[in-house]
Amino acid sequence: MAKSVKKAAKKAAPKAAKKAAAKAPAKAAPKAAKKAAPKKAAPKKAAPKKAAAKKAAPKKAARKANPGLSAPLTVTPQLGAVVGNKPLPRTQIIKKIWDYIKANKLQDKNNKRMINADAKLGEIFGGKKQVSMFELAKIVNNHVVK
């Protein structure tokens, strides 16, 4: 029982001290402590340094182009009327079709995503009067031979 009395006394002592501190009026702190710390002067900005030689970052291995995109493809006679009869990579075929569309002002005025067909493009488009620019890759795929 003696141990439990000692434990209870230890627990009660800090609680009693806290209550007494709360009831007692706060003592005035020394004047030195009340004074605000003097303001520090703003550090001077350093003059801009001259451009130092940058260390070269380790070079990553250059990514090789997909050979499928640069492989020349043979075009059908209908597509050859627009882009020429020489074998061309797919990227160049699309570029030449767009050059033809822009030169002949075949892009729809209201909806720029649509391409209007003329006599040459009508054969390529399968008789459609108008196709979306997103269909263009599919149409080209139907008119090339690998």
Side-chain angles (χ1 to χ4, degrees), residues 24-100:
K27 292 184 179 178
K31 288 185 179 181
K34 280 189 175 181
K35 288 185 181 177
K39 291 184 180 178
K40 293 183 181 179
K44 294 182 180 179
K45 292 184 180 179
K49 294 180 181 180
K50 292 181 181 178
K54 293 183 180 179
K55 293 182 181 178
K59 290 186 178 181
K60 294 181 181 178
R63 186 173 175 187
K64 293 182 181 178
N66 185 351
L69 294 175
S70 59
L73 304 170
T74 307
V75 296
T76 60
Q78 295 89 2
L79 186 58
V82 176
V83 299
N85 291 322
K86 294 181 182 178
L88 294 170
R90 188 177 303 273
T91 54
Q92 292 299 313
I93 292 171
I94 297 292
K95 183 177 178 183
K96 288 192 178 208
I97 291 173
W98 273 106
D99 289 342
Y100 179 83

